[in-house]
Every structure is written in structure tokens, then in C-alpha cells.
Amino acid sequence: MLDHYLRPEHRDNPGCGCVLPALAADIAGQSDPVRKAFTKSLKANLEKMATYLPGDDSKVRLTRAMVLISGMAGGVLVARAVSDSKLSA
């Protein structure tokens, strides 16, 4: 999952990848229905991801999924923003 998400092709094509690093800042300023749709989709993805993570209970796995997806999206966002190609990689 990490290898697929953090690959250069995903970093270099924001229109064809995850909406989280591409649009989260814009979605924050949108209407309530748009934000609710985004929230619903994010929750579904978090729950799906959590099923693959270790943990004693579902709350622990969901917390780990939130940390993981935040780091993944943040990594792609920063990699797209920097001007240093080595740092971006």
C-alpha cells in the first residue's frame, strides 16, 4: 500500500491520484454537503485500511489508520511542494 501510494507517478500526477493531498485544503472551505461527502469517503477508507493494521481492537486499528493516512497524504503534499528533487523523492 505504501509503495503504491508514495510512488513518483502518484506524486507527479495530482489529478489522477488521491484527493486528500490534492484537494483537502480546498474542501475545508466548501459547503457542508461537499465536506460531508468528503468525510464519508475518508471514513470509509480509514475503516477499510484499519482492517489491515495490527491492534488489539478496532479503535486502536482506526487510530493507526488515521496516523498512517495523514502521514501518507502529508508526504505526497510536501513532495509536490518542494523544489529539491532529491528531497521530493
Side-chain angles (χ1 to χ4, degrees), residues 14 22 40 47 56 62 73 83-84:
K40 181 179 178 181
E47 289 173 9
D56 295 333
L62 186 59
S83 62
D84 182 324

Side-chain angles (χ1 to χ4, degrees), residues 22-89:
L23 298 175
D26 293 331
I27 290 170
Q30 295 298 312
S31 65
D32 200 43
V34 172
R35 293 181 67 216
K36 284 183 179 182
F38 177 79
T39 300
K40 181 179 178 181
S41 177
L42 178 61
K43 284 182 176 181
N45 282 300
L46 286 168
E47 289 173 9
K48 184 176 181 180
M49 183 184 287
T51 64
Y52 298 100
L53 298 176
D56 295 333
D57 60 44
S58 60
K59 185 176 180 180
V60 169
R61 290 188 296 276
L62 186 59
T63 298
R64 288 180 176 165
M66 286 189 271
V67 169
L68 185 59
I69 204 164
S70 296
M72 291 165 57
V76 170
L77 178 67
V78 171
R80 288 176 179 165
V82 298
S83 62
D84 182 324
S85 60
K86 287 183 181 179
L87 181 58
S88 179

Side-chain angles (χ1 to χ4, degrees), residues 2-14:
L2 287 172
D3 288 341
H4 179 75
Y5 192 90
L6 298 175
R7 71 193 195 287
E9 295 82 10
H10 183 220
R11 177 198 62 206
D12 298 341
N13 295 291

